[in-house]
């Protein structure tokens, strides 16, 4: 059923371009559904807007009532971080989010004007010694924990090389804000295009540059693990997009 929808020109073949368009469509659908689901929860007075107070009260209400919870979780820090992101998403500065602004708050990586906050939050998460940079050990520590195991897997060694060769462009042993931005939000990388190319390369048995339904179904496990099927979700919901 989904293959027929991906095949936009109905010629019986799925091209890389059709897959790319479909994956972009699937990403937008995921974001739209996610925002719609959360919107009902946070728009307390049903006025079609979400104020910072509404968001804070729903998310942190119990913490505000009891600022010293037993679980030891740092809600104050999370709330400060959320408020900073909310203010960045809220373009007109009235602390009331339209649906578009709320989407930018929940999915900042999708909006150009939110990219700085994505970089800032990433650096804060990984930069354990809070010196404003990500050094090699912090970079590796974000992906891999030694847990007393002296031998690192091969992929970790590859990541170390990646850091030295490509991430740390000025070779000063650490990543600054611009280098971190190039890492997590590369300007010359189209995620949907890369995914489409990978799917065609792996599934195109006769190497004619396009996919038949049979070729796709034959590699169903690859597609179930892909954004093309919303990681399998679209196969069990029958309202696919």
């Amino acid at each position: 059923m989904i293959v027929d929808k991906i095949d936009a020109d109905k010629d019986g073949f799925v091209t890389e371009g059709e897959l790319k368009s479909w994956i972009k469509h699937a990403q937008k659908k995921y974001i739209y559904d996610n925002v719609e689901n959360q919107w009902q929860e946070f728009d307390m007075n049903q006025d079609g807007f979400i104020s910072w107070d509404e968001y804070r009260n729903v998310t942190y209400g119990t913490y505000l009532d009891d600022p010293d919870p037993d679980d030891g979780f740092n809600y104050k820090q999370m709330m400060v971080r959320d408020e900073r992101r909310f203010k960045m998403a809220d373009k007109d500065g009235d602390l009331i989010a339209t649906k578009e602004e709320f989407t930018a708050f929940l999915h900042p990586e999708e909006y150009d004007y939110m990219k700085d906050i994505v970089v800032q939050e990433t650096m804060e998460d990984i930069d354990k010694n809070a010196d404003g940079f990500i050094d090699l050990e912090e970079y590796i520590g974000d992906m891999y924990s030694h847990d007393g195991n002296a031998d690192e897997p091969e992929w970790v060694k590859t990541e170390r090389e990646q850091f030295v060769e490509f991430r740390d462009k000025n070779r000063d042993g650490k990543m600054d804000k611009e280098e971190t931005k190039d890492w997590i939000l590369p300007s010359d990388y189209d995620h949907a295009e890369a995914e489409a190319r990978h799917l065609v390369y792996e599934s195109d048995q006769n190497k004619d540059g396009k996919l038949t339904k049979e070729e796709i179904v034959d590699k169903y496990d690859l597609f179930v693990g892909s954004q093309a099927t919303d990681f399998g979700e679209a196969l069990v919901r029958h309202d696919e997009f």
Side-chain angles (χ1 to χ4, degrees):
M1 285 166 70
I2 289 176
V3 173
D4 290 337
K5 292 183 168 124
I6 300 172
D7 178 17
D9 62 7
K10 307 298 176 208
D11 68 347
F13 296 98
V14 169
T15 63
E16 196 177 292
E18 285 171 333
L19 259 176
K20 177 182 166 181
S21 297
W22 176 263
I23 290 166
K24 283 189 184 295
H25 175 60
Q27 287 170 331
K28 283 197 174 75
K29 174 89 166 62
Y30 166 77
I31 290 165
Y32 173 79
D33 287 349
N34 179 256
V35 172
E36 281 301 314
N37 291 338
Q38 300 214 42
W39 189 267
Q40 310 306 324
E41 189 182 340
F42 291 110
D43 183 13
M44 302 297 288
N45 61 4
Q46 302 287 304
D47 67 347
F49 298 96
I50 292 173
S51 68
W52 165 246
D53 285 342
E54 282 178 317
Y55 180 82
R56 185 188 61 195
N57 290 339
V58 172
T59 309
Y60 298 104
T62 49
Y63 160 73
L64 294 167
D65 294 337
D66 175 19
D68 194 21
D70 296 335
D71 59 11
F73 210 72
N74 195 338
Y75 291 101
K76 185 174 192 313
Q77 198 175 346
M78 281 174 62
M79 192 162 72
V80 166
R81 183 165 158 151
D82 270 353
E83 185 173 11
R84 182 180 66 192
R85 192 200 281 192
F86 194 96
K87 285 176 174 172
M88 174 86 79
D90 173 35
K91 279 182 158 176
D92 55 11
D94 61 0
L95 282 183
I96 297 171
T98 61
K99 191 158 279 189
E100 186 71 8
E101 288 169 337
F102 192 61
T103 305
F105 168 69
L106 291 179
H107 297 277
E109 66 288 346
E110 297 295 320
Y111 289 80
D112 278 345
Y113 81 100
M114 296 294 288
K115 285 188 172 170
D116 283 348
I117 203 87
V118 176
V119 174
Q120 189 175 354
E121 289 180 3
T122 302
M123 291 192 80
E124 286 170 356
D125 286 341
I126 302 176
D127 174 22
K128 298 302 183 200
N129 63 5
D131 67 349
F133 298 95
I134 296 175
D135 62 36
L136 176 56
E137 291 314 311
E138 288 168 336
Y139 174 79
I140 296 296
D142 181 56
M143 318 176 198
Y144 175 71
S145 172
H146 282 275
D147 287 333
N149 187 359
D151 293 328
E152 284 184 345
E154 202 56 45
W155 68 266
V156 177
K157 290 175 185 155
T158 305
E159 280 298 339
R160 286 185 181 278
E161 288 162 16
Q162 287 277 328
F163 183 93
V164 174
E165 291 295 318
F166 303 109
R167 309 275 180 243
D168 175 21
K169 290 184 166 54
N170 63 3
R171 304 294 171 98
D172 65 352
K174 56 198 178 188
M175 289 198 301
D176 59 24
K177 195 173 176 182
E178 277 309 306
E179 288 165 335
T180 303
K181 187 175 183 178
D182 285 345
W183 167 42
I184 60 170
L185 300 168
S187 55
D188 57 351
Y189 182 77
D190 184 325
H191 183 82
E193 189 178 310
E195 176 81 355
R197 193 175 295 148
H198 167 66
L199 290 171
V200 171
Y201 178 79
E202 292 291 338
S203 312
D204 182 15
Q205 288 169 11
N206 63 0
K207 300 300 173 199
D208 64 351
K210 53 194 179 183
L211 303 179
T212 61
K213 189 180 285 189
E214 288 69 35
E215 285 175 324
I216 291 174
V217 172
D218 198 47
K219 288 278 189 176
Y220 75 91
D221 51 341
L222 182 71
F223 281 79
V224 169
S226 159
Q227 282 191 314
T229 63
D230 192 10
F231 303 104
E233 282 295 309
L235 301 172
V236 289
R237 292 195 323 263
H238 288 290
D239 63 332
E240 314 89 25
F241 314 4

